[in-house]
Amino acid sequence: MPNLFAQADGLYAFSAEEVDAIYGAGRRVTYASGDVILEKDRPGDCMFILLEGEVELDLGFEGKLVLNETGDYFGELSFLHPGHLRSATIRALKNTTLCLLDQGVSEPLYQRYPRALFNLFRRTSAFVIDSREQLLANLIEQNEALTHIYDYLRRTHEALNYQELLAQTDELTQLFNRRCLLDQLGRAVGESRETSRRVGLLMLDLDGFKPVNDLYGHPAGDHLLRQVARVIRDCIRTDDLPCRYGGDEFAILLRDVERMPASVRAEEIRASIESLPPVRPGAPQVSASIGGTLYRDGDTAESLLARADAYLYQAKSNGRNRVVWSL
């Protein structure tokens, strides 16, 4: 806080007579150590000039300020704008004497010392303007800092999401991986227990993949796996979860599904894989065996997975390149 009677240049300086006039227009008030002089958010219409003692201004998030020099002042905004809510709680730190200037001082000062009144208004209002400008500058600076913090948090969040996505994604096919399937299957089974929305599971294994891999090498095998992944993505809904379970085995979690549309989807996947062109001229044709099942009362993620896998094995045993559903 500035000192009301600190040295000022030329026109805005107080003469000794004017200082005495201002003190004479006000009234002396005293406070014991610990007394509250002003309370934050209470309306006021006066200002105070420190004569002797020491006061503390609690400005909230802006911190605290101690005034202890004769001529230090506070409360000027409520003096200039009666009814304005106090912006700080102020208390005496020791026995303190103040000069209180209320709305009644303006008329006698205007009549006898107009220049003193002008300087009083000018210097207090100038401080208010400077304070508001500084506050605005601080708010702009804080906003910029918060923007940087938000940007950092956003980028960190995106990085974490990306890392989590990588942890749940099969690098070769870009389908979800086994870890993700097991996690989501458990959640889906829990939802099926609590609602009427049934969950289905398809387990798919490629027929004839090993000869392709052995004869033409891993690059050809990888190419075939990526083709199969594309077929699966093209045949399912956005709510379904396609996964590479491991090797040439895939799994598709079907959300909110019934037997007929699920079996149609499984057959479409099987037929599309059968129609894939050979990876090399003369290479063996591949197909897919698929086992499918739907959630039953009392199922767990493990029992659902085991049942789908059993029907996949049955599809293999029954001649391959077919879909076998549980009843």
Side-chain angles (χ1 to χ4, degrees):
M1 301 293 290
N3 189 288
L4 185 63
F5 304 118
Q7 184 64 38
D9 295 332
L11 179 64
Y12 305 118
F14 286 101
S15 66
E17 184 180 18
E18 289 167 344
V19 172
D20 291 340
I22 291 173
Y23 281 147
R27 57 188 176 89
R28 292 169 67 92
V29 290
T30 58
Y31 294 91
S33 177
D35 285 351
V36 174
I37 302 169
L38 299 178
E39 290 188 47
K40 188 177 185 296
D41 296 328
R42 296 290 296 273
D45 64 352
C46 62
M47 62 177 287
F48 297 84
I49 305 172
L50 182 64
L51 298 179
E52 60 182 358
E54 188 172 74
V55 298
E56 177 188 72
L57 285 66
D58 186 347
L59 303 171
F61 71 91
E62 295 183 57
K64 296 181 179 181
L65 183 66
V66 173
L67 305 181
N68 53 22
E69 294 186 8
T70 300
D72 288 344
Y73 66 95
F74 54 89
E76 69 285 346
L77 190 53
S78 294
F79 176 68
L80 296 170
H81 180 48
H84 186 272
L85 300 183
R86 302 294 192 182
S87 59
T89 294
I90 302 176
R91 64 175 39 87
L93 294 180
K94 58 177 66 172
N95 294 340
T96 296
T97 302
L98 303 170
C99 176
L100 185 154
L101 301 178
D102 59 21
Q103 300 302 301
V105 305
S106 299
E107 184 62 26
L109 284 177
Y110 175 73
Q111 294 295 332
R112 298 189 60 191
Y113 299 96
R115 186 172 177 278
L117 182 63
F118 168 76
N119 279 344
L120 176 64
F121 281 137
R122 189 266 171 192
R123 296 187 70 166
T124 53
S125 60
F127 173 70
V128 169
I129 293 171
D130 290 344
S131 298
R132 293 302 179 266
E133 289 179 348
Q134 184 59 52
L135 177 61
L136 180 59
N138 290 342
L139 289 174
I140 292 173
E141 182 178 351
Q142 291 173 16
N143 183 65
E144 291 176 348
L146 288 174
T147 299
H148 288 308
I149 292 172
Y150 171 78
D151 184 60
Y152 170 76
L153 292 175
R154 177 185 57 78
R155 286 185 282 108
T156 301
H157 180 67
E158 290 174 352
L160 291 174
N161 285 345
Y162 179 66
Q163 291 299 321
E164 179 62 21
L165 181 62
L166 288 179
Q168 295 186 350
T169 303
D170 174 62
E171 183 177 0
L172 175 64
T173 63
Q174 296 303 300
L175 299 182
F176 293 102
N177 59 20
R178 181 171 182 162
R179 169 192 167 186
C180 181
L181 172 70
L182 297 178
D183 177 61
Q184 292 300 315
L185 184 60
R187 297 185 187 188
V189 167
E191 291 174 4
S192 291
R193 287 198 197 102
E194 299 173 1
T195 68
S196 59
R197 299 174 62 185
R198 300 183 76 186
V199 63
L201 181 64
L202 302 178
M203 296 296 292
L204 178 155
D205 186 80
L206 295 182
D207 308 317
F209 175 76
K210 189 175 185 305
V212 171
N213 217 36
D214 291 345
L215 292 171
Y216 298 95
H218 291 296
D222 290 348
H223 175 71
L224 178 57
L225 292 175
R226 284 192 290 266
Q227 284 186 306
V228 171
R230 188 187 71 249
V231 165
I232 292 173
R233 277 194 296 266
D234 290 344
C235 293
I236 63 174
R237 305 165 302 173
T238 55
D239 286 345
D240 298 332
L241 188 78
C243 304
R244 184 185 178 196
Y245 196 68
D248 61 333
E249 193 170 1
F250 297 82
I252 302 103
L253 176 61
L254 306 174
R255 292 189 173 95
D256 194 14
V257 71
E258 294 301 330
R259 165 68 183 273
M260 184 56 68
S263 60
V264 169
R265 198 166 305 144
E267 181 58 32
E268 182 182 357
I269 292 171
R270 185 206 64 76
S272 297
I273 291 174
E274 184 183 24
S275 300
L276 287 172
V279 294
R280 297 284 189 278
Q285 187 70 37
V286 296
S287 60
S289 298
I290 302 175
T293 189
L294 296 180
Y295 172 82
R296 299 174 185 171
D297 289 343
D299 259 336
T300 63
E302 292 76 14
S303 65
L304 192 67
L305 185 62
R307 194 164 62 248
D309 198 51
Y311 284 101
L312 168 60
Y313 179 78
Q314 186 174 326
K316 288 278 194 184
S317 301
N318 289 351
R320 304 184 179 187
N321 192 23
R322 66 192 62 226
V323 177
V324 174
W325 271 94
S326 64
L327 299 177

